[in-house]
Amino acid sequence: MKFNNPTGSIVAMITPFHEDGSVNFDVLTHLLERQIAAGTDAILTLGTTGEYPTMSHEEDASVVAHTIKVVNGRVPVIVGSGSNCTATQVEKSIEYQNMGADALLLIAPYYNKANPEGMYRHFAETADRVNIPCLLYNVPGRTGCSIPVSVVEKLSRHPNICGIKEASGDMSYAMKIAHCVGPDFALYSGNDDITLPLMSIGGSGVISVFANVCPDVCRQIVADYAGGHQDRALETHLKYLELMNDLFIEVNPIPVKSAMNMMGLNVGPMRLPLCEMSEAHQAVLRAALKEAGLL
């Protein structure tokens, strides 16, 4: 399916594991079908929420292949192919393109970081080597660096870079890149709590953690706002805001996987260095789920 900058809710999928840590493909199938049944507009696999840093390259590829097979063209599949090594990012991007990915999510180089020119080349080199659309991923809380506004401006004119997942939570930064938004460059919120503010400055929707828990609600919020029912969208958004925030009470994806297990979705454990939530935070999350009518 062609990725055509969809407006809506794009779920940042968790990766379910068996108790021994291996990927649980049966549960993954169920979760993908659950998303499609709820009307989710696109699927992102191997994002931060998918725990890809703890998975081998072979496991990454097997999750991508399974996701593409199950989705079977019903919605676009975006694959996180990012790396702090540009050559690795290019290699993975080409592989996932050849496997049938509809678009790629490319992260800013973490740990080694880069100056603005190196940052630009990191993304442009990858986008030059593939034939499917690429989304930038700005998440300085994970990478230790933000994509400079000047680099976003320059990359927004690249013919194969179609948008950005903006997950800094910095509305001032979002405002500075909002003028880049147009038919060929989309802005997606990477933070559930500010989806509507980003849509108010031209955003197309959200790449969502919350959608793992409430895919139908997440899609409805974005659809209502985009459809001119801003008051209804805001009412629903505020109703679930506490739960959205509690899904980040510890480092993602610990809370969302814990919530899904509480809901009986049996997504299994995290992989170290991620581990189970504290008992106090489990109580907070369980209360939020109960308040939202999900237990």
Side-chain angles (χ1 to χ4, degrees):
M1 173 177 284
K2 185 177 181 181
F3 184 85
N4 206 10
N5 281 357
T7 296
S9 171
I10 300 171
V11 61
M13 291 288 296
I14 64 102
T15 302
F17 297 129
H18 291 287
E19 289 302 318
D20 65 3
S22 59
V23 177
N24 189 330
F25 289 101
D26 289 338
V27 170
L28 179 56
T29 298
H30 172 70
L31 296 178
L32 290 167
E33 293 293 353
R34 178 173 176 263
Q35 290 293 328
I36 292 170
T40 294
D41 297 284
I43 303 288
L44 167 66
T45 188
L46 300 188
T48 303
T49 312
E51 295 182 77
Y52 81 91
T54 66
M55 294 163 61
S56 69
H57 183 73
E58 292 74 21
E59 287 175 317
D60 286 345
S62 65
V63 168
V64 172
H66 187 82
T67 299
I68 291 170
K69 179 181 178 181
V70 171
V71 173
N72 194 28
R74 288 176 286 176
V75 296
V77 174
I78 310 163
V79 180
S81 59
S83 173
N84 63 336
C85 170
T86 306
T88 300
Q89 180 170 268
V90 169
E91 177 186 351
K92 292 168 71 176
S93 297
I94 293 171
E95 178 180 3
Y96 299 151
Q97 171 186 267
N98 292 340
M99 292 172 69
D102 298 297
L104 301 167
L105 183 70
L106 311 178
I107 200 166
Y110 44 87
Y111 188 71
N112 48 358
K113 304 185 181 180
N115 64 20
E117 179 61 21
M119 185 85 74
Y120 170 77
R121 294 186 192 183
H122 173 75
F123 291 111
E125 172 75 11
T126 308
D128 286 343
R129 297 285 299 277
V130 295
N131 300 314
I132 55 176
C134 299
L135 285 165
L136 312 177
Y137 185 12
N138 186 53
V139 58
R142 296 280 183 164
T143 63
C145 58
S146 185
I147 307 173
V149 171
S150 61
V151 173
V152 176
E153 292 171 340
K154 190 174 180 181
L155 290 167
S156 71
R157 298 189 289 270
H158 190 290
N160 209 29
I161 293 179
C162 67
I164 184 169
K165 177 185 178 183
E166 208 310 274
S168 70
D170 182 348
M171 282 302 299
S172 177
Y173 176 92
M175 289 293 293
K176 290 173 184 175
I177 64 170
H179 70 276
C180 298
V181 173
D184 300 318
F185 191 81
L187 170 65
Y188 295 98
S189 176
N191 300 79
D192 286 294
D193 60 338
I194 57 171
T195 298
L196 297 189
L198 257 70
M199 291 189 73
S200 76
I201 60 171
S204 293
V206 62
I207 299 178
S208 173
V209 173
F210 171 67
N212 283 282
V213 174
C214 292
D216 51 346
V217 174
C218 189
R219 183 183 185 276
Q220 194 61 53
I221 290 170
V222 179
D224 280 345
Y225 194 94
H229 303 289
Q230 286 88 353
D231 289 345
R232 188 166 67 198
L234 179 59
E235 180 182 0
T236 308
H237 193 265
L238 293 177
K239 176 182 177 180
Y240 288 91
L241 182 61
E242 182 178 356
L243 176 56
M244 292 177 188
N245 289 331
D246 285 342
L247 290 175
F248 290 87
I249 198 169
E250 291 190 15
V251 66
N252 181 46
I254 293 173
V256 69
K257 291 189 84 171
S258 300
M260 295 172 80
N261 282 327
M262 291 175 187
M263 294 167 62
L265 291 169
N266 301 319
V267 301
M270 285 66 63
R271 286 185 176 180
L272 288 172
L274 304 186
C275 64
E276 62 275 1
M277 297 177 71
S278 70
E279 290 186 7
H281 284 163
Q282 287 184 47
V284 170
L285 183 58
R286 188 178 296 277
L289 290 168
K290 187 175 181 180
E291 178 68 22
L294 296 172
L295 292 185

